[in-house]
């Protein structure tokens, strides 16, 4: 990395939330102020380049794999559902994460390949319900080919082994002539898929996603890193495909079989109870009497088998089966990394232990510190973080006091979310290997849980406010050198709208966020570099007092230069009511006099698209004339504006240039 690039990175990581709006800024840039007329100045130096622009910045966390990916897959014709492919392409989505987040933490990839009739049911990891495996890895990759996106896979940790996930890497990437390459070919795809990006687990640091791991944060982090064994107490049993409470209840029939949730089990460590009565393990039920309260147990699979009333008692109907046991020994991230890289050294394997509390990274020892301390600083290629704005956690809010608060809370939280990412970057750079990086595999602004109230602004997660939030995140993440971002969900599970990029099937309504992604397609797919920019004398938007402050900067910017020389300036005006006049200073820029302009705003910050009004928010395109390198521009309230200055020597406008492929 050049010295300018290194200074840009380190300062950007430290200053992302220190009142420096814009990208590519270094301490030398901060001596300026607003113009003589008091308006903000957006200063761009097109000669000072830093990071390569990532075409994966506006990726998305995929829909759930079950229920045909919430209607995104057409199982009858074995293809993407009509209407979704064109919309994904139009939105310029460069990456899609699979099989998803929390619900996928117990995903069994081997049960989701091959003929549909041979596939297994799955355990949905959030509710424990059984779900189908129709949209498996091969269907996912067929979908990727249709939409032209790059795959990113979240490999589950809680119920898998390093060998199983290494087999998955081989199935996706090994050539024919190997065991897994040949199986993939028999399943209809002879050529390797070449999946490069992998992460191990999803939010396992969260209290509700520990699975077999300890409730103690530090111990759980060590277990994630290096593996271990953990005592489970009074845990309901179930089946390999069902963890609901009902799956632990006896039906009164002979020869019932159950499994503990998280095998393997340390032999002889288990205590099995039928209601409050402890039953006894035997090697063989054939020698048991009719009334003996006994069972057989397989430590490897965690399977419990009861008798038939002749050889071993049958648990009475309605009784609940629970288990105490030592779950393990389990492998840790280092083992996964080693096995996966042995199969394909070209893949990148990311760790996910990046806990957050109160709108900032959790205190105590970090995962990068732990890995370095144990001599494994080189045993991860990067880290994935989920820098959500959680209104309850970060702003101590259980409701929106009014509609504008719903908007303001997102903008306040967005600044804190960028700080979470910059802090993790600093940790990785301090303790990881030279080329280790940070990616964002989920992000957004949300109420989490069922007791929170958004009735004053129920559309907040799919209205213009959230599009402004996400555009601000992309601008800051690009400044920080984030390699890829898969934010939000792709589609909803029902017709209508929710916290997703598109509405549910069959309409797939395009949200303002998807419109902004389309607008910024050239910006992120132009194959160029981030260049230095900053906002001097930024306008502040005042809010009510919150734990994250009482004001936020109105303007967030980023600037890039494409490989063809086009200068792109992104300006996000988050002010809910006010247009903001600014002076744009294009230092060291030689550009044509014609500027291509696109604006996404809607009539208000709470505008959104729905089935009845699918075009309430659209892209407004125009051209303007720019003489010289100092321009005065008015950026509309609650808007995302993209200004594109073609290079002077070409004399061309952005409509003349060839679009870069999204693939």
């Amino acid at each position: 990395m050049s010295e300018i690039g290194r200074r840009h990175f380190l300062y950007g990581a430290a200053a992302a939330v220190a009142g420096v709006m814009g990208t590519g800024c270094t301490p030398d840039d901060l001596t300026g102020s607003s113009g003589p007329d008091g308006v903000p100045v957006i200063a761009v130096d097109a000669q000072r380049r830093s990071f390569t622009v990532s075409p994966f910045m506006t990726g998305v966390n995929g829909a759930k794999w079950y229920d045909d990916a919430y209607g995104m897959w057409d199982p009858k014709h074995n293809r993407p559902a009509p209407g979704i492919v064109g919309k994904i392409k139009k939105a310029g989505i460069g990456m899609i994460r699979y099989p998803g987040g929390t619900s996928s933490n117990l995903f069994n990839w081997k049960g989701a390949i091959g003929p549909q009739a041979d596939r297994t049911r799955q355990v949905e990891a959030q509710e424990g319900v059984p779900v189908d495996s129709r949209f498996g890895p091969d269907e996912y990759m067929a979908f990727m080919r249709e939409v032209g996106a790059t795959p990113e896979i979240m490999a589950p940790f809680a119920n898998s082994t390093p060998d199983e996930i290494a087999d998955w890497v081989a199935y996706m990437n090994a050539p024919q002539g190997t065991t897994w390459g040949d199986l993939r070919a028999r399943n209809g795809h002879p050529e390797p898929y070449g999946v490069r990006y992998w992460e191990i687990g999803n939010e396992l640091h969260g209290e509700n996603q520990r699975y077999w791991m300890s409730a103690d944060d530090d111990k759980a982090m060590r277990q994630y890193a290096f593996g271990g064994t953990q005592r489970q107490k009074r845990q309901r049993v179930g089946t390999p495909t069902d963890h609901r409470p009902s799956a632990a209840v006896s039906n009164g029939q002979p020869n019932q079989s159950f499994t503990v949730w998280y095998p393997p089990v340390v032999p002889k460590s288990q205590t099995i109870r039928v209601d409050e009565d402890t039953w006894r393990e035997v090697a063989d039920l054939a020698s048991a009497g009719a009334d003996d309260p006994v069972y057989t147990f397989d430590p490897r699979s965690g399977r419990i088998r009861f008798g038939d009333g002749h050889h071993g008692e049958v648990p009475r109907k309605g009784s609940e089966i629970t288990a105490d046991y030592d779950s393990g020994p389990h492998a840790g991230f280092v083992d996964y990394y080693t096995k996966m890289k042995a199969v394909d050294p070209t893949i990148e394997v990311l760790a996910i232990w990046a806990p957050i509390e109160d709108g900032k990274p959790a205190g105590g020892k970090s995962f990068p510190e732990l890995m370095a301390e144990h001599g494994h600083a080189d045993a991860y290629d990067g880290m994935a973080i989920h820098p959500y704005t959680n209104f309850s956690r970060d702003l101590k809010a259980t409701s929106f006091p009014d509609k504008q608060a719903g908007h303001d809370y997102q903008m306040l939280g967005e600044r804190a979310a960028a700080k979470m990412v910059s802090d993790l970057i600093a940790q990785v750079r301090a303790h990881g290997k030279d080329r280790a990086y940070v990616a964002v595999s989920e992000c957004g602004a949300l109420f989490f849980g069922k007791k929170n109230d958004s009735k004053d602004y129920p559309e907040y997660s799919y209205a213009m406010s959230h599009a402004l939030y996400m555009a601000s995140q992309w601008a800051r993440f690009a400044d920080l050198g984030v390699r890829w971002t898969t934010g939000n969900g792709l589609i909803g599970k029902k017709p209508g709208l929710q916290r997703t990029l598109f509405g549910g099937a069959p309409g797939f309504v395009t949200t303002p966020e998807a419109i902004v992604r389309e607008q910024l397609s050239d910006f992120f797919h132009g194959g160029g570099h981030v260049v230095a920019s900053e906002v001097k004398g930024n306008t502040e938007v005042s809010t009510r007092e919150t734990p994250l402050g009482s004001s936020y900067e109105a303007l967030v910017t980023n600037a890039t230069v494409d490989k063809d020389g086009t200068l792109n300036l992104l300006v996000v005006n988050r002010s809910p009511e006010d247009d903001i006049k600014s002076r744009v200073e294009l230092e060291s820029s030689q550009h044509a006099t014609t500027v291509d302009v696109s604006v996404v705003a809607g009539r208000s910050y709470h505008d959104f698209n729905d089935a009845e009004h699918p075009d309430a928010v659209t892209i407004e395109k125009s051209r303007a004339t720019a003489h010289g390198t100092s321009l005065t521009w008015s950026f509309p309230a609650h808007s995302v504006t993209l200004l594109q200055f073609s290079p002077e020597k070409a004399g061309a406008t952005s409509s003349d240039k060839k679009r870069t492929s999204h693939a």
Side-chain angles (χ1 to χ4, degrees), residues 420-438:
M420 299 174 201
V421 177
S422 66
D423 284 353
L424 182 60
I425 288 172
Q427 291 174 0
V428 170
R429 289 190 64 81
H431 303 288
K433 60 187 177 184
D434 286 344
R435 291 185 292 176
Y437 64 91
V438 169

Side-chain angles (χ1 to χ4, degrees), residues 144-485:
M144 293 297 96
R145 290 195 301 272
E146 287 290 320
V147 302
T150 292
E152 191 272 316
I153 289 179
M154 189 285 291
F157 175 86
N159 69 327
S160 63
T161 68
D163 285 333
E164 289 169 347
I165 302 306
D167 288 346
W168 196 359
V169 174
Y171 183 81
M172 304 305 279
N173 293 356
Q176 281 188 266
T178 63
T179 299
W180 292 105
D182 288 346
L183 178 59
R184 183 190 63 244
R186 291 196 297 273
N187 289 338
H189 201 275
E191 294 301 315
Y193 290 125
V195 178
R196 179 178 179 182
Y197 301 100
W198 301 74
E199 56 183 317
I200 305 301
N202 177 83
E203 296 180 3
L204 299 171
H205 48 75
E207 293 179 358
N208 64 335
Q209 297 185 58
R210 291 292 170 84
Y211 304 100
W212 64 264
M213 294 184 293
S214 173
D216 178 81
D217 293 343
D218 289 338
K219 184 177 180 181
M221 180 171 66
R222 291 193 299 273
Q223 290 171 334
Y224 175 71
F226 311 121
T229 299
Q230 181 62 40
R231 187 70 176 169
Q232 311 296 311
K233 296 181 178 180
R234 290 284 179 164
Q235 189 179 86
R236 294 187 185 94
V237 298
T239 75
T241 62
D242 193 347
H243 287 184
R244 292 175 296 179
S246 60
V249 176
S250 170
N251 61 14
Q253 299 298 310
N255 299 316
Q256 290 183 79
S257 178
F258 300 87
T259 58
V260 300
W261 286 357
Y262 308 122
V265 175
V266 175
K268 306 302 180 184
S269 70
Q270 82 281 358
T271 298
I272 306 299
R273 296 183 181 87
V274 178
D275 287 337
E276 295 301 317
D277 299 327
T278 300
W279 287 34
R280 176 170 52 89
E281 181 186 6
V282 294
D284 187 355
L285 290 169
S287 60
D291 297 325
D292 290 346
V294 296
Y295 62 91
T296 60
F297 188 72
D298 178 9
R300 182 175 180 179
S301 66
R303 184 186 183 202
I304 307 158
R305 185 167 175 266
F306 292 106
D308 60 5
H310 299 288
H311 301 287
E313 183 180 352
V314 175
R316 60 191 172 276
K317 184 177 181 179
S319 56
E320 183 179 68
I321 319 300
T322 58
D324 295 357
Y325 62 100
D326 291 336
S327 177
H330 295 278
F333 177 87
V334 172
D335 304 300
Y336 282 79
Y337 183 86
T338 302
K339 291 275 190 178
M340 294 168 70
K341 297 285 274 193
V343 172
D344 185 349
T346 69
I347 65 173
E348 297 176 7
V349 184
L350 276 66
I352 52 83
W353 202 275
I356 294 164
E357 59 184 20
D358 298 330
K360 62 182 184 301
K365 185 177 294 182
S366 69
F367 183 85
E369 289 176 296
L370 177 71
M371 294 289 276
E373 181 181 279
H374 288 266
H376 293 293
D378 61 346
Y380 61 101
D381 297 315
M383 293 196 66
I385 185 174
H386 295 179
Y388 278 111
T389 293
N390 181 330
F391 300 123
S392 302
R393 179 194 65 199
D394 304 340
L395 290 123
K396 311 306 178 189
T398 57
S399 65
F400 293 143
D402 52 46
K403 193 179 290 286
Q404 185 166 327
H407 174 86
D408 291 342
Y409 286 1
Q410 292 187 70
M411 302 310 115
L412 290 164
E414 186 278 326
R415 178 173 57 186
K419 181 66 162 58
M420 299 174 201
V421 177
S422 66
D423 284 353
L424 182 60
I425 288 172
Q427 291 174 0
V428 170
R429 289 190 64 81
H431 303 288
K433 60 187 177 184
D434 286 344
R435 291 185 292 176
Y437 64 91
V438 169
V440 175
S441 56
E442 288 186 36
C443 62
L446 297 168
F447 271 123
F448 288 82
K450 299 179 180 179
K451 297 181 179 179
N452 299 302
D453 184 5
S454 61
K455 69 177 184 296
D456 284 314
Y457 191 7
E459 308 88 4
Y460 76 92
S461 69
Y462 54 85
M464 194 64 213
S465 290
H466 199 71
L468 298 171
Y469 177 100
M470 292 301 295
S472 302
Q473 292 275 271
W474 298 324
R476 297 192 203 268
F477 294 166
D479 183 37
L480 293 170
V482 171
R483 191 76 58 87
W484 48 266
T485 299

